[in-house]
Amino acid sequence: MSRSQHRRQSVLRSRRLAAPPLRFLLPVTLLVCLLGLMVLRGMATNEVFHDERTTESTDTGTVPPNLLTGGPIVDARGDRNDAPVSHRIPDRTIVLSFDDGPDPTWTPKLLDVLKDRGVHASFFITGSMAAQHPDIVRRMVDEGHEIGLHTFTHPDLSLQSKARLTFELSQTQLALAGVAGVHSSLFRPPYSSTASALDDWTWPVVKEVGKRGYLTTFIDTDTEDWQRPGVDNIVKAAIPKTPGEGAMVLMHDAGGDRSQTVHAVGKLIDTLEERHYRFRTIGEALGSSDTMVEVHGYQLWTGKAYIWATQLSVGLLPWMISLLAVVGVLVFARFALMLVLATVHVRRTRRPGFGWGPPITEPVTVLVPAYNEQECIANTLHSLTAGEHPIEVIVVDDGSTDDTSKIVRELDLPGVRLITKPNGGKPQALNTGIAAASHDIVVMMDGDTVFEPSTVRELVQPFGDPTVGAVAGNAKVGNRDTLIGAWQHIEYVMGFNLDRRMYDVLNIMPTIPGAVGAFRRSALERVGGMSEDTLAEDTDVTMALLRDGWRIVYAEKARAWTEAPASMSQLWSQRYRWSYGTMQAMWKHRHALVEKGPGGRFGRLGLPMVVLFGVLAPLLAPVIDLFLLYGVLFVDAPRTLAAWSGVLAVQGLLAYYAFRLDRERSWHLITLPVQQLVYRQLMYLVLLQSSITALTGGRLRWQKLRRTGEVSAPILEV
């Protein structure tokens, strides 16, 4: 080997090694982004990291005594060398403070009352609510109100780690920057009351937030408006007990019905103004610099991006959930339809005396398109010559570069003809064979497939009905002893014994499998033979036959044993071609949607089913898994796992029923849970890549799979 050839092969190997990660990059990125949006929405709705635990302590040994008897504002900022101090609200001064908002219903009503009376208040907002209702926060700032932090998800911080405290503060500041372009130096702990209630659990939190530059704000009077005690009782509780004394008043603008609070605020302001009280914000009451500062640059745009992403998640995910719900209902409806129609098909075809018409006994032609099938071709031809039905076999060597033709010649089997041609693709090879066929019924199979002795006989019997134009056989995985083989085995058994039975009864069979199918030659000629327009020539011609008015049926006893891809990369290549080719075929036959007669029936029933259950539902499958992961991590793990187990149980029952119909042993179904978590994701990635290729106008070439020839004889399981 020359140096240049060696270098070329090294480059090709490196490209092959680099290709798989690129395949996964976009799908994985999409899934990660979607999971991020789900977490953002969960944070905004207080579903993620939600913690309602609270502490109860009476120990105050670590709390500075002056704070326990001081005012509601504690200054424990880290740049002070002396002891923390507290501040009282000046005499005849009232600070109206509201916690837990903003609420889209009640906060605007409160703002209207305050605006009418020219009063400014202090609002301690939660980041989750601010992210959902940015316009209300902006209105607060624009109308001169003061904003303080009340954490993001409203946990009792005395039970949380420093990392969680950092998260709660930073995320709330991020939300505040995004909605109003400001940061605040005010903080009020959730579940707090007066400064005298400080204890050994809550004091460390105050110290920690003080180190980070925050003033911690408690209260003087608690109206307990959240209990809805009545307007007069709220007003009474808000008025300082000592006439002329200043007070920090606590109310709530969110968390439930706050109609009493809205009415009480107006009445309280009128009452206290008559008593010569003035209303101030915290910063105004302390006579200090502004407690809010504008942010610019990176902090501002990071906050805006965060709010934009949160708004997107809050608006998008309900639609996504609704879409999943609709798809879920349709999928379960399809499950039910498959069960009913599969049962109908079984009872119809297995009843005593059932027949399609006069028995087909005349010879038929079997076409075997072959490209580099030296490992399999001998087994394939031996299985055909051992068959029970008279046949002629035409092997069309489509420009093989291995010993395929040589092996066929050396076998010199009776009734087997070899046609060699330059490589032109499978449709050309099949058309060449059709032109050379001696009989009206043409059976098509792949060069890596093995027939049972009765396969051809069973496959051609439906042609006793003159309305039948094509017949789908029962393709089975021969190399099923590996995990990936078992997964494909489950897929094949379910597809052939549920889907195809359903499609048969509805007369909308979308695909004759390339591994085992039979066609009426006259029907093929009417639709122009095998088309090269798509990479799924079998699906293309099947749809064309349906549009031409032919009936297409399923012959369950016409079993063919095929060698399924033995590695993930080979499986990817095969399914990528199948998916892309199927999309091409659907697009090619899209006009069936508006046709009349048989074409319209297929277009308005068959095509939507293929699109919905062959493309859209599989593309949404990983989203279901993301919701599963989200539910386990953040919502309710037992209920989420129970729901997923229920869906898996339904799928398991369907699979078991399909195995029973096909007289297969069901022990391979133990791999079904892993198949749902791994195999389904691979199919999603394939579908996504195929969709991107189709939407961007890319062109996919035929991809030859490497065969081993290990499927040498049918494996009968009863």
Side-chain angles (χ1 to χ4, degrees):
M1 182 183 295
S2 67
R3 181 176 299 176
S4 61
Q5 290 174 323
H6 180 75
R7 186 182 301 113
R8 190 179 303 113
Q9 289 192 0
S10 299
V11 170
L12 290 174
R13 280 196 300 269
S14 65
R15 287 179 179 175
R16 284 196 295 268
L17 291 173
L22 293 177
R23 291 174 177 174
F24 292 97
L25 180 60
L26 179 59
V28 171
T29 300
L30 288 175
L31 291 178
V32 170
C33 290
L34 183 56
L35 181 60
L37 289 175
M38 292 172 65
V39 173
L40 278 178
R41 179 182 178 275
M43 290 166 52
T45 58
N46 207 12
E47 189 174 60
V48 172
F49 307 134
H50 185 61
D51 190 345
E52 293 183 343
R53 295 176 301 159
T54 58
T55 57
E56 292 184 9
S57 174
T58 57
D59 297 328
T60 59
T62 63
V63 184
N66 65 306
L67 300 184
L68 296 173
T69 58
I73 303 170
V74 175
D75 187 352
R77 287 178 288 188
D79 58 352
R80 298 181 61 90
N81 295 321
D82 51 352
V85 298
S86 64
H87 300 278
R88 296 184 182 277
I89 304 301
D91 289 345
R92 295 203 175 275
T93 301
I94 295 294
V95 175
L96 294 178
S97 64
F98 299 91
D99 283 6
D100 299 344
D103 179 272
T105 300
W106 304 112
T107 304
K109 295 181 183 297
L110 283 167
L111 291 174
D112 290 342
V113 173
L114 296 171
K115 184 177 181 180
D116 289 343
R117 289 163 172 78
V119 170
H120 293 158
S122 299
F123 289 86
F124 288 89
I125 64 171
T126 62
S128 61
M129 297 295 285
Q132 292 184 75
H133 312 293
D135 292 342
I136 301 176
V137 179
R138 281 192 286 268
R139 179 184 171 185
M140 291 177 182
V141 175
D142 292 343
E143 294 183 359
H145 300 288
E146 188 175 55
I147 307 293
L149 309 188
H150 199 45
T151 72
F152 197 91
T153 62
H154 204 273
D156 186 339
L157 292 178
S158 62
L159 294 172
Q160 309 299 326
S161 64
K162 286 187 178 181
R164 176 66 181 272
L165 185 147
T166 300
F167 166 82
E168 294 288 338
L169 295 177
S170 63
Q171 291 298 112
T172 309
Q173 291 283 32
L174 185 64
L176 186 55
V179 300
V182 298
H183 277 173
S184 174
S185 60
L186 295 177
F187 170 72
R188 174 173 286 164
Y191 307 107
S192 62
S193 58
T194 63
S196 62
L198 274 169
D199 55 40
D200 293 344
W201 284 84
T202 54
W203 169 236
V205 175
V206 176
K207 284 197 300 183
E208 183 61 31
V209 298
K211 291 178 183 178
R212 301 173 188 227
Y214 291 92
L215 288 174
T216 303
T217 305
F218 296 99
I219 63 172
D220 289 309
T221 61
D222 186 355
T223 63
E224 296 187 348
D225 60 331
W226 56 274
Q227 297 192 55
R228 305 186 73 246
V231 173
D232 291 338
N233 287 330
I234 293 174
V235 173
K236 181 179 179 181
I239 296 175
K241 300 299 182 288
T242 303
E245 183 180 47
M248 174 87 68
V249 178
L250 172 63
M251 296 184 185
H252 298 82
D253 62 327
D257 185 348
R258 295 290 173 257
S259 57
Q260 292 184 4
T261 303
V262 172
H263 290 95
V265 166
K267 188 172 183 179
L268 175 65
I269 293 173
D270 295 340
T271 299
L272 291 178
E273 283 184 339
E274 291 177 357
R275 301 182 186 185
H276 306 294
Y277 277 85
R278 56 184 179 273
F279 292 87
R280 298 289 185 265
T281 63
I282 294 171
E284 293 170 344
L286 296 180
S288 61
S289 58
D290 201 337
T291 56
M292 297 187 299
V293 296
E294 292 186 7
V295 294
H296 305 279
Y298 174 79
Q299 289 180 322
L300 176 62
W301 290 108
T302 302
K304 288 183 178 295
Y306 175 77
I307 294 300
W308 178 84
T310 301
Q311 292 291 300
L312 176 65
S313 69
V314 171
L316 174 65
L317 286 184
W319 289 97
M320 183 68 71
I321 294 171
S322 299
L323 177 61
L324 287 176
V326 171
V327 171
V329 170
L330 291 175
V331 167
F332 277 98
R334 178 173 175 260
F335 284 167
L337 186 64
M338 283 194 299
L339 282 174
V340 172
L341 296 185
T343 303
V344 169
H345 184 272
V346 169
R347 291 180 176 177
R348 184 179 69 188
T349 57
R350 293 183 183 178
R351 73 175 184 266
F354 171 78
W356 296 95
I360 303 297
T361 58
E362 61 267 22
V364 300
T365 299
V366 179
L367 300 183
V368 186
Y371 175 72
N372 290 349
E373 299 288 1
Q374 65 179 15
E375 293 86 359
C376 310
I377 194 66
N379 292 335
T380 299
L381 296 180
H382 281 303
S383 74
L384 290 174
T385 56
E388 301 171 354
H389 195 88
I391 60 173
E392 73 162 347
V393 179
I394 300 177
V395 179
V396 183
D397 187 333
D398 189 35
S400 296
T401 58
D402 64 0
D403 292 332
T404 299
S405 292
K406 179 181 177 182
I407 293 171
V408 176
R409 292 191 187 97
E410 290 178 348
L411 288 174
D412 193 24
L413 295 172
V416 176
R417 282 195 287 158
L418 173 66
I419 298 176
T420 60
K421 60 179 291 292
N423 181 258
K426 188 176 179 181
Q428 278 190 21
L430 289 171
N431 285 330
T432 300
I434 293 169
S438 304
H439 307 292
D440 183 53
I441 296 177
V442 178
V443 174
M444 298 181 185
M445 66 183 300
D446 291 335
D448 59 357
T449 302
V450 174
F451 277 8
E452 295 178 9
S454 62
T455 298
V456 173
R457 174 172 53 80
E458 295 289 347
L459 189 61
V460 300
Q461 293 311 308
F463 290 107
D465 182 345
T467 66
V468 172
V471 181
N474 187 358
K476 305 184 72 61
V477 175
N479 53 331
R480 61 181 68 174
D481 294 331
T482 63
L483 185 60
I484 189 172
W487 290 343
Q488 294 175 84
H489 172 48
I490 295 172
E491 180 186 30
Y492 273 51
V493 172
M494 292 188 68
F496 281 96
N497 287 281
L498 294 179
D499 285 81
R500 277 187 167 79
R501 293 181 193 274
M502 175 183 69
Y503 288 137
D504 184 335
V505 174
L506 296 175
N507 194 26
I508 54 171
M509 186 83 67
T511 302
I512 298 292
V516 53
F519 298 84
R520 198 180 295 274
R521 186 175 176 179
S522 57
L524 286 175
E525 291 172 350
R526 280 179 50 172
V527 298
M530 308 301 290
S531 173
E532 299 180 56
D533 294 339
T534 74
L535 288 178
E537 71 288 331
D538 44 8
T539 300
D540 188 354
V541 73
T542 306
M543 292 181 176
L545 290 171
L546 286 171
R547 294 177 67 186
D548 195 44
W550 291 98
R551 186 180 173 198
I552 300 176
V553 299
Y554 169 57
E556 62 173 315
K557 295 180 181 179
R559 290 182 289 266
W561 297 80
T562 187
E563 182 179 339
S567 68
M568 284 294 188
S569 61
Q570 291 182 34
L571 180 63
W572 180 289
S573 297
Q574 182 195 67
R575 298 311 171 88
Y576 185 21
R577 176 176 61 82
W578 286 3
S579 299
Y580 183 74
T582 300
M583 292 178 187
Q584 288 178 310
M586 290 188 297
W587 181 252
K588 177 180 176 179
H589 295 282
R590 65 190 183 278
H591 298 297
L593 288 167
V594 295
E595 289 179 356
K596 297 180 179 180
R601 173 184 173 80
F602 169 70
R604 289 182 285 276
L605 181 59
L607 270 181
M609 290 185 70
V610 175
V611 172
L612 180 60
F613 300 113
V615 179
L616 294 182
L619 280 176
L620 289 172
V623 180
I624 298 175
D625 294 330
L626 282 184
F627 276 98
L628 167 67
L629 179 64
Y630 178 84
V632 169
L633 294 178
F634 303 117
V635 184
D636 189 329
R639 291 180 60 185
T640 302
L641 291 173
W644 184 77
S645 299
V647 174
L648 186 62
V650 172
Q651 292 177 317
L653 290 173
L654 278 172
Y656 178 75
Y657 181 62
F659 271 63
R660 288 293 301 272
L661 290 180
D662 209 26
R663 298 183 174 92
E664 286 277 4
R665 294 173 182 167
S666 57
W667 68 270
H668 284 99
L669 292 178
I670 62 175
T671 66
L672 185 62
V674 183
Q675 185 206 44
Q676 293 299 303
L677 292 175
V678 179
Y679 187 78
R680 188 175 63 184
Q681 305 310 318
L682 178 66
M683 294 301 101
Y684 155 75
L685 296 174
V686 169
L687 270 173
L688 184 60
Q689 187 179 15
S690 301
S691 302
I692 293 171
T693 303
L695 291 173
T696 56
R699 184 70 181 177
L700 181 65
R701 295 182 296 107
W702 185 276
Q703 302 179 47
K704 171 66 180 173
L705 300 181
R706 183 165 49 86
R707 302 299 186 183
T708 65
E710 63 181 293
V711 180
S712 58
I715 307 170
L716 299 178
E717 298 189 10
V718 294

